[in-house]
Amino acid sequence: MTRAFLALVLRDLRLAARVGGSGAMGLVFFLMLVAVVPFALGPDLNLLARIGPALLWFSAVLATLIGLDRLFQTDVEDGAIDLILSSDTPLEVLVAAKGVAHWLTTGLPLALLAPLFGLLLALTPGAMLAVAATLVVGTPALTFIGAVGAALTASLGRGGLLLAILVMPLMVPTLIFGVSAANAATGGTIAFLTPFLILAALSLVAIVIGIFAAAAALRQSA
Amino acid sequence: MRISVEGLACRRGERLLFRDLSFSLASGEALVVTGRNGAGKSSLIAMLAGRLAPAAGAIRAEGIGEATLAEVTNHVGHKEGLKAALTAEENLAFAGAMLGRPRLSPREALARVGLARAADLPAGYLSAGQRRRVALARLFVSRRPLWLLDEPTSALDAASQVRLAEVMQGHLAEGGLIIAATHAPLGLEGTKTLSIDAHVPSVDLPGGAEGERA
Amino acid sequence: MPRLSSLWNLANPTRFLGLADRLLPWLAALAAALLAVGLYLSFFVAPPDYQQGETVRIMFIHVPAAWLGLFMYVMMSASALGTLVWRHPLADVAQKAAAPIGAAFTFVCLVTGSLWGKPMWGTWWVWDARLTSVLVLFLMYLGIMALWRAVDDPGRAARAVAVLTLVGVVNIPIIKFSVDWWSTLHQPAAVFRIDGPTIHPSMLWPLLVMALAFTVLAVALHVAGMRNEILRRRVRSLWLMEAERLDAGAETAAGAAR
């Protein structure tokens, strides 16, 4: 079971790194969003610093979304899903492996680079740290909520837009508590830990529900 | 082990593809499923692989202990399931990890299909026939008794077809089972044949002939 | 078809490989020597600025990096024309090798600009027209590199990237103009600016030496990058040929085994 889990994580990481893989695409998209929004808002650093955490979080949601439609779709297209479904390892474990690989190539790098991009938005060091911490804790929720949508649209060919429509509403709670935790860290009326712990709880719940729902959806649709 | 199928029916959307399909197969036996295009050969294979629910009837397996039928099945469908960016060896190592019950190493499995030297080539560089053979090499990385093959000879040249027949004969001799959907003869001796056409419902002939034609 | 084009590709690049092997040590040595002189001049000889003090020395890296970030894009555009119009076999190699180098120089320019900005403006980043234009240039480099990565076949990728590069060239003045417009719209002109033409000769010389050093460095890196790309493509052709040969080999092996 561990062997199959590791093999799938390793395979997806390899695929992401090789030519034609999605690699750092989500990260580049993240940078683009952060860089382009000030053109719409104006370069007022006070304004940008105030909305910076929210902007980084929203960009992280969008950057997670754009690669998600391919999560299971590639395996359905080339038939590798047959192997995954006929494994003697429970499908839930394998879905978890896909999610972990996706998070390692998307969510984690986003969280780690967010402080750097925070420089563009004149965030204070405290705010940068808070955004990074909330993203590390919150992006697993985005990945696993998205995995449900990815599993549902896996056999539809062009699932990208549909996927976004399906899962964006489900990401709202994560967004709310992620941004409030990041804001609370830099001053405000509530303590940092309150929204942060709720965010952590949301993430854990999303991982569990996401794994089982995505596995069920894959059994139906693939 | 033994598989018995009774009164199986398949419905895709509104259309009833076949019904009243029955056969049984024991260790060391092979079944060749024939039929015209669209008769439901691939659907039958998908049902046996546990990927499609039967509209009626039952598929039973004996002598496999706690395992489900899907867990003792090695299925090579018409999609190869190979990642173009991974080498042939990496593809097979992944298949081995998924299927469990390890048997041969990826390199040994590739040698069985005559592609030992392709181990380090990315699958994307291989020709259609070579990719087919890498997919068939999956049969050797795991010790699963039931081989389910959907058009195994497509894209294979004559020499590779002979080789495939040899390895299938070897698998039967070791007590394995093979169910293959195919147009072309496989070159196997003593196989059962099942024609799906006889079970396709028509307006004139309700019901069908008895399922099995040995 | 891939066989034919790969054979055609090998003819000219072989001469390039020989040339590259002979040139590279000299280019690398020259770049190192110029950089050593340039860094010495900028850190020990050039005087500190009367307003900015020692921080002005960042300029000696920042400005040449900006210049090369632009220069590599010009280089890529010329190569893109070479790919699309003259179909020169080395053009797309030059184009591919130039992208990461240009992106790296642009990135150095952004980082040094940010480091310079901290003591000058009090923040790491200001949405100043110049810095922002460089940021957009950096984003364009990232897009071009992403397109290279997305297409496996070098020939197809080269034509796609060439089109994108040329579209970028047409857009650069428009982007520059829009960013300037956007910047003046929002920003009071109180922000610090270097007075270009009145730069003192004691600072001009180190700057020129550094610009030359960076240029030679870029050329050396570019030649090395082109060599690597040609070798990478050869590995690819060898893999394709190996896959074609496999069938013949496998049949004789099977015959021998029987």
Side-chain angles (χ1 to χ4, degrees), chain C residues 30-49:
Chain C
L30 185 61
L34 279 170
L35 265 181
V37 173
L39 286 173
Y40 176 77
L41 285 178
S42 14
F43 281 94
F44 299 105
V45 176
D49 188 77

Side-chain angles (χ1 to χ4, degrees), chain C:
Chain C
M1 192 57 201
R3 189 75 167 275
L4 261 180
S5 67
S6 69
L7 280 180
W8 184 65
N9 272 348
L10 288 183
N12 205 338
T14 307
R15 283 214 308 276
F16 176 83
L17 281 183
L19 192 68
D21 281 343
R22 261 176 292 140
L23 268 179
L24 261 180
W26 295 101
L27 280 172
L30 185 61
L34 279 170
L35 265 181
V37 173
L39 286 173
Y40 176 77
L41 285 178
S42 14
F43 281 94
F44 299 105
V45 176
D49 188 77
Y50 75 101
Q51 256 185 336
Q52 302 180 42
E54 301 290 343
T55 46
V56 77
R57 301 188 194 281
I58 295 175
M59 175 186 76
F60 298 120
I61 292 176
H62 177 74
V63 174
W67 142 244
L68 273 153
L70 275 175
F71 176 78
M72 292 314 281
Y73 201 96
V74 173
M75 170 84 204
M76 272 193 344
S77 317
S79 310
L81 277 180
T83 302
L84 288 179
V85 182
W86 299 290
R87 302 189 177 268
H88 191 277
L90 277 178
D92 58 325
V93 174
Q95 192 192 347
K96 183 169 186 185
I101 300 171
F105 278 115
T106 313
F107 185 67
V108 168
C109 173
L110 287 172
V111 169
T112 50
S114 175
L115 290 174
W116 200 0
K118 183 64 180 166
M120 289 302 108
W121 299 321
T123 73
W124 293 105
W125 184 264
V126 164
W127 291 87
D128 154 75
R130 280 192 223 191
L131 270 178
T132 310
S133 305
V134 175
L135 180 63
V136 175
L137 180 68
F138 182 62
L139 296 181
M140 286 168 64
Y141 271 121
L142 290 184
I144 286 168
M145 283 160 68
L147 186 55
W148 269 117
R149 263 184 56 88
V151 188
D152 187 36
D153 175 35
R156 270 179 55 216
R159 284 188 294 278
V161 172
V163 171
L164 180 66
T165 309
L166 292 178
V167 169
V169 169
V170 175
N171 271 293
I172 278 181
I174 303 176
I175 292 170
K176 178 77 183 133
F177 169 79
S178 321
V179 169
D180 285 344
W181 168 272
W182 169 81
S183 178
T184 49
L185 197 70
H186 290 288
Q187 240 168 355
V191 184
F192 149 83
R193 293 272 153 85
I194 318 173
D195 293 325
T198 59
I199 187 166
H200 193 267
S202 63
M203 286 191 180
L204 186 62
W205 274 108
L207 187 60
L208 287 179
V209 175
M210 281 303 279
L212 186 64
F214 268 49
T215 312
V216 177
L217 177 67
V219 172
L221 288 173
H222 192 216
V223 171
M226 282 175 73
R227 187 190 58 181
N228 291 350
E229 177 60 21
I230 291 173
L231 293 177
R232 208 174 290 131
R233 287 185 188 188
R234 286 201 172 172
V235 169
R236 199 186 122 86
S237 323
L238 286 176
W239 273 349
L240 280 172
M241 287 192 236
E242 175 72 15
E244 276 173 40
R245 264 210 306 271
L246 269 176
D247 281 325
E251 268 160 46
T252 52
R258 222 168 277 138

Side-chain angles (χ1 to χ4, degrees), chain A residues 168-197:
Chain A
M168 279 273 257
L170 302 176
M171 291 178 172
V172 167
T174 316
L175 190 61
I176 290 176
F177 285 98
V179 175
S180 15
N183 281 333
T186 52
T189 50
I190 41 170
F192 170 69
L193 266 187
T194 314
F196 188 74
L197 288 180

Side-chain angles (χ1 to χ4, degrees), chain B:
Chain B
M1 72 176 275
R2 180 175 192 85
I3 300 175
S4 40
V5 167
E6 277 164 32
L8 204 64
C10 174
R11 185 183 288 280
R12 299 304 307 256
E14 293 297 301
R15 207 156 67 94
L16 191 63
L17 286 183
F18 57 77
R19 67 182 184 192
D20 292 335
L21 194 138
S22 306
F23 66 86
S24 80
L25 202 67
S27 288
E29 290 182 323
L31 177 73
V32 172
V33 181
T34 60
R36 55 180 172 74
N37 283 336
K41 295 194 295 290
S42 295
S43 298
L44 175 61
I45 295 286
M47 272 184 196
L48 291 167
R51 298 294 311 282
L52 198 65
I59 303 168
R60 287 193 197 84
E62 298 157 28
I64 53 173
E66 294 285 296
T68 63
L69 184 58
E71 285 169 12
V72 297
T73 300
N74 205 333
H75 173 205
V76 179
H78 54 266
K79 287 180 187 167
E80 274 100 13
L82 300 178
K83 295 289 176 191
L86 299 183
T87 66
E89 187 183 11
E90 285 168 338
N91 269 303
L92 283 177
F94 171 71
M98 285 297 117
L99 296 174
R101 301 167 184 244
R103 189 174 162 204
L104 296 184
S105 77
R107 280 179 183 268
E108 288 165 342
L110 280 170
R112 284 288 181 94
V113 293
L115 281 177
R117 277 162 53 226
D120 296 322
L121 285 180
Y125 290 89
L126 301 175
S127 69
Q130 289 165 346
R131 291 167 59 85
R132 190 81 207 156
R133 280 149 71 194
V134 174
L136 287 168
R138 201 184 290 152
L139 296 170
F140 304 107
V141 296
S142 172
R143 201 180 297 281
R144 291 187 167 207
L146 173 61
W147 287 4
L148 277 184
L149 309 173
D150 197 351
E151 298 291 353
T153 53
S154 69
L156 290 188
D157 57 21
S160 302
Q161 289 189 17
V162 170
R163 185 182 275 264
L164 177 65
E166 282 170 12
V167 299
M168 287 199 293
Q169 206 79 60
H171 181 63
L172 295 177
E174 288 167 16
L177 294 79
I178 297 174
I179 299 178
T182 182
H183 289 295
L186 289 177
L188 282 180
E189 291 159 23
T191 53
K192 296 179 173 184
T193 307
L194 173 73
S195 171
I196 290 197
D197 292 338
H199 300 273
V200 175
S202 63
V203 187
D204 302 335
L205 285 169
E210 262 310 299
E212 200 173 314
R213 282 207 254 147

